[in-house]
Amino acid sequence: MSKQPTKTKAAKAKSSDKAKTAAKAEASPKKTKTAEPKTKAPKAKPEAARAEAPRVEQPQAGAPRPEAPPRVSPAAAAAFGATVDFPPAKLTPEQRDMMEKLSANLARAALTAQGAIAEAALRQAERPAALQPDPFHVAPALTDVMGRLASQPDRLVRAQADLFQRYLELWQTAARRAAGETVDPIVTPAKGDKRFNDPDWNDNPVFDVIKQSYLVTSNWLNALVSEVDGVEPMTKRRVEFFMKMLTDAFSPSNFLVSNPAALREAMSTQGQSLLQGMENFAADLTRGGGQLAISQTDYDMFKIGENVATAPGKVVFQNQVLQLLQFNPTTEQVFEIPLVIFPPWINKFYILDLRPENSMIRWLTDQGITVFVASWVNPDVEMAAKTFEDYMQQGIYEGTAAAMKQAGVSQVNTVGYCIGGTLLSATLAHMAAKGDKRIASATFFAAQQDFAEAGDLLLFTNEDWLGDLEKQMDAAGGVLSGQAMAETFNSLRANDLIWSFFVNNYLMGKEPKPFDLLFWNSDQTRMPKALHLFYLRKFYGENALANGSLVMDNIKLDLSKVKTPVYVQSSKEDHIAPARSVYRGAKLFGGPVTFTLAGSGHIAGVINAPVANKYQFWSNPELPATVEQWMEKAKETPGSWWPHWAAWLKAKSGGMVPARDPAKGPLKPLEDAPGSYVKVKS
């Protein structure tokens, strides 16, 4: 039997297409002047697609067109753990309402964001000098590191092979998990990393692979930089810091499409969370004057003097740089020698008095200590020329003199916190050179004297950075804004103080929770140009106090001449004043030194009331060459270090005398605590 010739698929398609076209032409009514308005015809499909597509009955003229079912991709369905039929059934009225709300909220969110960005761009256009293509001045350092890596091709090959191997392991474990096996992840977030706390980062295979892929890549990049050799240490450290910032910024948790919690919130609220997030974004841009000032707490919930900084007392002295507060006693008898506390002037003093239950000021008065605290001025442009020496003379000298007059004594005990401690150290050396013995003892909270191993703030003190900073201050009339200071400190802990709020406020559309510590953290003061540049250049840049080259009031300062008893507190996880750096400073004093190491960081390590029963501290009466040697024989004690310090302090505070009423001393009270200086906003 002979084989009959057959039509090709293309010929069949062409024949079928012609037949359908003819049939449609016969069935279609002729156009008249009263015909329905024209609608845009859909684009013609390729002939092969038309030939294989099922025939769909056309509606009668004038009949309503059926709604096309929404298309949902299998990948999107899997991401939410949902089972979706394809194509889905016709939407119910409730589903249609949900989709309409979602679409409307997404459109409104987009318009809100566009409007906010456009307004910010207009504001920034008025300040073109603020634009900086390399604000971290990392390009030269990055060039050095990358050049060194390029000169070691064998290391690059090994690193790339290691990265490929890690990805191969990830793909294999993902495939085994998809097949139903229980597998362990090849990489997990570091301890304390809260970015991936949502259960879907582990439970959902899609997001688990996204998370692990990010961790593999970011860990590889950071290790590649940290393991390079033959590069100047500070150059390498600058690139390490920048690479960490970069990899943190590109975390999948920071993007809507790859954050399961944000996607779930968007769907459950029909896009209302995204609309609210963009409204939060616009409000923060407005609050920052065109720069993004991410809200960290509900600022309206806190009022200085009402629910923070509430310890009762009086302002008994003030000058251009400080108000001196004396707090009411809570015991009938007090120690003879009072305590004068000098907090950092970058922040405000009420970190020592946030709430009654964690207030160091209240706790000290309960121990029978007469407490004075310096409340530094929030300087304006008229104080741009104030110097570090001015703060020594008008701050430490005049403040202690006023406290001695008010208490009727010839000596005081002192505390210097952070940069306030650096100022107090320099003043002690100045007093030692002059034979001034008014300070009976000095305590330092997280304060540095030797900056050779200071924290990451060292990276912000090279001359390129300081040149930009000086221009910024000149443009502002000679002061550095509080927002600029806050941004610098926040960048040191970007995941906790930037990206967590970025996700919460903008992607999740939530308001930040009321938190007194973060309210205080955002209440930064301005910095006078002369004071701030001197501090950064002389201490961070030249390490002048430690090496004996610092001159103030025509006196070369030498900490080895300081014989005053000293108590030094440091914190194990302090990123601003690292324990190793603080310990180096403790070794510089010429008198008896007691060193302690507290758990936690720069703030929580210091402000740890005994009633909280948190953390721990280590003590060791010896002072060997290094902090590592000190730790070998240190005794760990659970809870707060305050009682250990109080025992040391009381032994240097003299006998007991009747309690001192701030309102009845030689100095006439000027106003109630917390005073007016602390209420001035930047």
Side-chain angles (χ1 to χ4, degrees):
M1 175 184 263
S2 62
K3 198 171 185 180
Q4 295 294 326
T6 58
K7 293 183 180 181
T8 63
K9 287 187 178 181
K12 286 183 179 180
K14 188 174 182 181
S15 174
S16 175
D17 184 51
K18 288 181 179 179
K20 288 179 183 177
T21 303
K24 288 181 181 178
E26 291 179 5
S28 299
K30 293 183 179 180
K31 295 181 181 179
T32 64
K33 293 182 180 180
T34 59
E36 293 292 328
K38 290 184 179 180
T39 58
K40 187 175 180 180
K43 290 183 179 180
K45 296 182 179 179
E47 291 185 0
R50 287 202 302 268
E52 296 176 0
R55 190 172 185 275
V56 179
E57 295 296 331
Q58 299 299 317
Q60 296 292 328
R65 297 177 62 87
E67 294 191 22
R71 296 289 181 180
V72 182
S73 71
F80 287 99
T83 301
V84 180
D85 295 327
F86 292 94
K90 182 179 178 180
L91 290 178
T92 65
E94 293 79 9
Q95 291 172 326
R96 183 160 48 252
D97 182 61
M98 183 189 76
M99 293 298 292
E100 289 175 353
K101 287 181 179 178
L102 177 62
S103 299
N105 283 329
L106 289 176
R108 291 169 62 192
L111 288 173
T112 301
Q114 290 171 5
I117 292 171
E119 183 179 353
L122 289 174
R123 292 191 182 193
Q124 290 300 314
E126 299 171 1
R127 301 192 294 269
L131 299 177
Q132 170 58 257
D134 183 17
F136 293 98
H137 295 284
V138 75
L142 192 60
T143 300
D144 286 350
V145 170
M146 292 300 108
R148 183 61 182 170
L149 284 172
S151 69
Q152 300 173 327
D154 55 330
R155 171 169 290 187
L156 277 177
V157 170
R158 290 196 303 270
Q160 290 169 350
D162 179 65
L163 179 64
F164 179 78
Q165 179 62 33
R166 296 293 283 167
Y167 269 118
L168 187 61
E169 292 173 8
L170 176 58
W171 298 332
Q172 289 172 343
T173 56
R176 288 167 55 197
R177 182 175 181 181
E181 288 187 46
T182 300
V183 294
D184 293 328
I186 68 164
V187 60
T188 57
K191 183 181 178 181
D193 189 345
K194 302 176 183 178
R195 294 175 295 176
F196 305 104
N197 281 356
D198 189 88
D200 272 346
W201 286 114
N202 296 320
D203 299 342
N204 188 295
V206 174
F207 290 114
D208 182 47
V209 169
I210 291 174
K211 174 194 69 179
Q212 292 193 63
S213 177
Y214 162 74
L215 291 173
V216 165
T217 306
S218 61
N219 291 347
W220 180 81
L221 279 170
N222 288 309
L224 185 66
V225 171
S226 65
E227 292 172 4
V228 68
D229 53 17
V231 178
E232 194 272 327
M234 189 54 65
T235 297
K236 178 178 171 181
R237 188 171 171 183
R238 187 178 300 280
V239 177
E240 287 176 327
F241 181 80
F242 173 77
M243 192 62 68
K244 181 69 166 57
M245 288 187 65
L246 188 66
T247 54
D248 286 348
F250 281 96
S251 169
S253 58
N254 298 336
F255 299 90
L256 175 65
V257 295
S258 54
N259 186 318
L263 286 171
R264 193 166 54 246
E265 188 73 12
M267 294 301 293
S268 65
T269 62
Q270 290 89 56
Q272 184 64 36
S273 62
L274 296 178
L275 174 59
Q276 183 61 54
M278 291 306 97
E279 290 176 352
N280 293 343
F281 174 74
D284 285 349
L285 274 175
T286 300
R287 188 169 61 87
Q291 292 180 304
L292 188 60
I294 302 178
S295 298
Q296 296 179 332
T297 187
D298 185 347
Y299 302 111
D300 295 331
M301 287 289 293
F302 300 99
K303 302 293 181 185
I304 296 174
E306 296 181 15
N307 54 8
V308 292
T310 58
K314 302 289 183 182
V315 176
V316 297
F317 172 79
Q318 77 175 43
N319 57 24
Q320 279 188 308
V321 303
L322 61 73
Q323 286 187 323
L324 187 69
L325 282 63
Q326 180 185 358
F327 293 92
N328 293 351
T330 56
T331 58
E332 293 184 1
Q333 297 281 314
V334 296
F335 287 92
E336 180 184 9
I337 299 179
L339 180 68
V340 187
I341 303 176
F342 295 96
W345 56 81
I346 293 174
N347 303 103
K348 297 182 178 178
F349 83 88
Y350 61 89
I351 185 60
L352 304 169
D353 186 35
L354 286 176
R355 300 187 308 276
E357 60 268 27
N358 69 352
S359 169
M360 178 180 279
I361 291 170
R362 291 176 184 265
W363 187 84
L364 286 167
T365 57
D366 288 344
Q367 306 305 306
I369 305 292
T370 300
V371 179
F372 293 86
V373 173
S375 175
W376 298 102
V377 71
N378 191 349
D380 55 20
V381 294
E382 294 180 357
M383 294 187 65
K386 283 291 180 184
T387 65
F388 197 85
E389 188 173 316
D390 289 332
Y391 271 58
M392 178 183 75
Q393 296 289 355
Q394 295 182 270
I396 307 291
Y397 271 100
E398 291 187 19
T400 53
M404 289 188 294
K405 182 176 181 179
Q406 177 74 343
V409 294
S410 59
Q411 280 192 315
V412 293
N413 294 315
T414 55
V415 170
Y417 190 168
C418 189
I419 190 175
T422 305
L423 175 66
L424 178 60
S425 302
T427 307
L428 283 171
H430 188 268
M431 288 179 172
K434 295 179 64 177
D436 190 322
K437 299 183 179 180
R438 74 179 70 189
I439 294 182
S441 75
T443 297
F444 297 100
F445 299 164
Q448 299 176 96
Q449 295 82 27
D450 188 324
F451 288 76
E453 296 187 67
D456 284 335
L457 282 175
L458 269 174
L459 305 175
F460 297 85
T461 57
N462 70 353
E463 278 304 316
D464 290 333
W465 181 276
L466 293 180
D468 284 350
L469 194 66
E470 188 168 4
K471 292 176 184 177
Q472 188 177 347
M473 288 189 280
D474 287 339
V479 294
L480 182 65
S481 71
Q483 181 179 337
M485 290 300 304
E487 289 172 354
T488 300
F489 282 107
N490 289 344
S491 69
L492 300 180
R493 293 178 58 200
N495 281 334
D496 291 334
L497 297 178
I498 297 177
W499 295 116
S500 64
F501 295 102
F502 180 92
V503 172
N504 179 80
N505 300 2
Y506 308 148
L507 302 188
M508 301 290 289
K510 298 182 182 295
E511 296 293 335
K513 296 178 181 178
F515 191 9
D516 51 10
L517 178 60
L518 290 176
F519 171 76
W520 167 85
N521 185 63
S522 66
D523 194 11
Q524 304 271 354
T525 62
R526 293 177 287 267
M527 293 291 104
K529 175 184 173 180
L531 166 72
H532 198 50
L533 289 178
F534 179 90
Y535 171 67
L536 294 177
R537 285 195 168 108
K538 290 296 181 180
F539 292 92
Y540 278 97
E542 300 175 17
N543 201 14
L545 181 60
N547 62 34
S549 63
L550 185 66
V551 176
M552 292 176 63
D553 189 29
N554 296 317
I555 295 174
K556 184 175 285 190
L557 305 184
D558 184 353
L559 287 176
S560 68
K561 302 289 181 63
V562 176
K563 307 301 180 182
T564 304
V566 167
Y567 186 102
V568 176
Q569 179 273 341
S570 63
S571 296
K572 189 175 183 180
E573 300 171 15
D574 195 332
H575 61 290
I576 294 174
R580 181 180 286 107
S581 179
V582 175
Y583 190 83
R584 289 176 64 106
K587 297 281 294 177
L588 297 176
F589 292 100
V593 175
T594 299
F595 180 84
T596 58
L597 178 67
S600 196
H602 194 70
I603 302 301
V606 176
I607 309 304
N608 182 24
V611 68
N613 196 28
K614 293 176 65 177
Y615 310 126
Q616 71 282 98
F617 71 95
W618 292 264
S619 58
N620 180 356
E622 299 177 2
L623 206 67
T626 67
V627 71
E628 289 80 12
Q629 293 173 337
W630 181 90
M631 278 296 294
E632 289 175 2
K633 296 183 179 180
K635 174 188 174 184
E636 181 178 349
T637 304
S640 173
W641 59 274
W642 291 8
H644 182 269
W645 170 53
W648 181 91
L649 182 63
K650 289 175 182 179
K652 294 163 179 59
S653 297
M656 305 301 290
V657 298
R660 304 176 174 105
D661 185 344
K664 298 179 180 179
L667 300 176
K668 182 180 178 181
L670 303 177
E671 57 182 314
D672 289 335
S676 54
Y677 281 16
V678 73
K679 296 179 181 179
V680 177
K681 295 290 184 181
S682 295

